[in-house]
Amino acid sequence: MKRISILLLALVLTAKLAEAQNFGNQAITYEELYDDPYGINKFFLHLQPLYADVFATNVNAGFGIAANYYLKDKADFQANFRQAYTRSFDLARDAAIKNQVVLNSPNNFTYFEMGGTYHVKDEESDTETKLILYSRKYAKGNRWAAHVPEHTVVPSKVRKIIGVRAGGFAFDTSIDLESITQEQGVTLVDEAGNPFPENVYSHTNQVVSGGYIGGSMSWIKNMAIKPDKGYGVLVDDLILNTYFDFMIAPGVTLDEVQYRDPLQNNSIRRFSADVVDTKIWGYRIGIDGKYNRELGWAYGAELGSRPGIKGRGFYALVKISIPVFSTNMNHSREAFGK
């Protein structure tokens, strides 16, 4: 009896697995509307209502704007600008204002970048695309919760791009000099060689400018099908880019600290921040994704180490773009509206 029960249980599980597999992968007939990974829009404008930058020098969050331009199959270009919302979302600046003793005015975190990618290899190949099937009948009851979503796999084309990237960047941020000098074991001194007063909070601004060079790998799909019955139009138009860059910044500057000393008739003493160790190199890996639509959304993330204060270059960045506007810049031959 025990063996029969085990056998029945095995048969039930096998039947359920077969049902799930049959439900999950459906063979359908369809009409191909288009399948052209080279037929993407040329210009994309991103409005970024949110980015979050966990930066060892200054954790911050804010908004931005970005743009992409594709020059046929030869190259593509990008630019972006980001800035912290307010001082509450710019932690180093917020701390500087709350503990203001020196005369320096703490700056907002701002970041600007512009660059381009040359397409060393840009080719199209055959692949398969997995598309999720949706029908209004699934809304009845709990079918979505009880089953694996139906999908179908159809032949399609994918565009693969291997590129070489280069460009320039610059950013400006407040920094907590007190913790940095303690961490590095250095002391600020004025023109006469006198040290900065003990137990007095100090901050300043850091400006970094430089360039980057690296490589990228991109995948582009731009296809749509119309199943014969029961389902809506299915689209896969993702433009996905991954990259790795080396960053170098010959320009790493720290503003001198100005302090009104009450022990010296409120005279202004100036302290150079040159004693702070900086580094001029960095690196990053990143990913960006967007969709070939006249109105859509996009996402991005980076992880790496920026040039600047030595030991405080690590950062992790995420950004969301909603909405993203795009056009092929030829109004007489607009791309398929989706």
Side-chain angles (χ1 to χ4, degrees):
M1 187 67 180
K2 184 176 181 181
R3 292 181 179 179
I4 294 175
S5 299
I6 294 174
L7 179 60
L8 288 175
L9 179 60
L11 290 174
V12 170
L13 291 175
T14 302
K16 286 294 184 181
L17 179 59
E19 178 186 353
Q21 290 176 339
N22 183 59
F23 178 75
N25 190 2
Q26 295 290 320
I28 63 171
T29 57
Y30 61 89
E31 174 190 358
E32 182 182 285
L33 300 180
Y34 57 88
D35 187 6
D36 183 10
Y38 284 93
I40 64 172
N41 290 334
K42 292 181 179 179
F43 180 74
F44 294 79
L45 179 64
H46 307 239
L47 301 183
Q48 295 176 341
L50 171 66
Y51 80 82
D53 190 340
V54 182
F55 186 18
T57 299
N58 180 14
V59 177
N60 62 96
F63 63 93
I65 188 170
N68 303 100
Y69 178 77
Y70 289 84
L71 181 63
K72 299 181 179 179
D73 60 349
K74 305 299 182 184
D76 62 85
F77 305 90
Q78 60 86 22
N80 68 81
F81 170 82
R82 300 191 301 273
Q83 180 173 301
Y85 291 127
T86 63
R87 74 178 240 193
S88 298
F89 294 89
D90 191 342
L91 297 192
R93 180 169 181 259
D94 184 54
I97 293 174
K98 287 180 178 178
N99 301 284
Q100 183 83 38
V101 176
V102 300
L103 301 179
N104 301 59
S105 177
N107 292 346
N108 290 331
F109 179 89
T110 57
Y111 184 94
F112 176 76
E113 180 177 311
M114 180 178 290
T117 301
Y118 174 71
H119 297 184
V120 176
K121 187 176 182 180
D122 189 334
E123 62 181 13
E124 179 185 282
S125 61
D126 294 326
T127 187
E128 291 184 335
T129 296
K130 180 179 179 180
L131 299 169
I132 302 297
L133 301 172
Y134 177 78
S135 174
R136 291 182 180 177
K137 63 184 179 181
Y138 297 159
K140 298 178 181 179
N142 296 318
R143 191 172 185 188
W144 274 114
H147 295 275
V148 177
E150 285 187 351
H151 67 269
T152 188
V153 177
V154 300
S156 64
K157 298 183 184 299
V158 62
R159 179 179 171 188
K160 298 179 181 179
I161 303 171
I162 298 175
V164 174
R165 295 161 43 94
F169 67 90
F171 66 90
D172 184 3
T173 182
S174 302
I175 62 172
D176 178 353
L177 261 185
E178 182 180 29
S179 63
I180 291 171
T181 54
Q182 289 177 356
E183 183 179 288
Q184 295 189 1
V186 297
T187 302
L188 303 179
V189 295
D190 61 13
E191 302 95 323
N194 299 313
F196 190 82
E198 293 184 0
N199 302 319
V200 174
Y201 180 83
S202 61
H203 66 82
T204 191
N205 298 311
Q206 174 186 238
V207 179
V208 179
S209 59
Y212 67 87
I213 185 169
S216 66
M217 182 72 183
S218 303
W219 295 265
I220 300 175
K221 286 186 177 181
N222 188 40
M223 57 86 68
I225 64 172
K226 183 179 181 182
D228 286 349
K229 56 183 178 180
Y231 305 104
V233 174
L234 308 177
V235 178
D236 187 355
D237 56 354
L238 176 63
I239 302 172
L240 183 67
N241 179 49
T242 60
Y243 54 89
F244 176 83
D245 296 326
F246 289 104
M247 309 169 73
I248 185 167
V252 178
T253 60
L254 303 178
D255 293 346
E256 68 176 9
V257 178
Q258 300 179 26
Y259 174 64
R260 189 184 300 277
D261 194 340
L263 301 179
Q264 296 188 9
N265 299 320
N266 288 323
S267 61
I268 297 176
R269 299 170 61 190
R270 301 177 184 276
F271 297 84
S272 172
D274 291 345
V275 294
V276 175
D277 287 337
T278 59
K279 64 171 186 173
I280 66 171
W281 63 272
Y283 67 91
R284 64 182 176 185
I285 57 175
I287 183 171
D288 291 314
K290 57 182 177 290
Y291 298 88
N292 184 47
R293 305 176 188 183
E294 293 177 4
L295 182 64
W297 69 287
Y299 57 87
E302 288 184 4
L303 182 69
S305 179
R306 292 187 178 115
I309 302 297
K310 186 176 181 180
R312 293 204 176 188
F314 171 82
Y315 78 100
L317 168 71
V318 293
K319 50 190 176 181
I320 299 293
S321 299
I322 301 177
V324 176
F325 305 96
S326 74
T327 177
N328 65 6
M329 305 180 74
N330 183 354
H331 298 291
S332 64
R333 297 178 60 192
E334 279 293 340
F336 292 96
K338 296 183 281 296

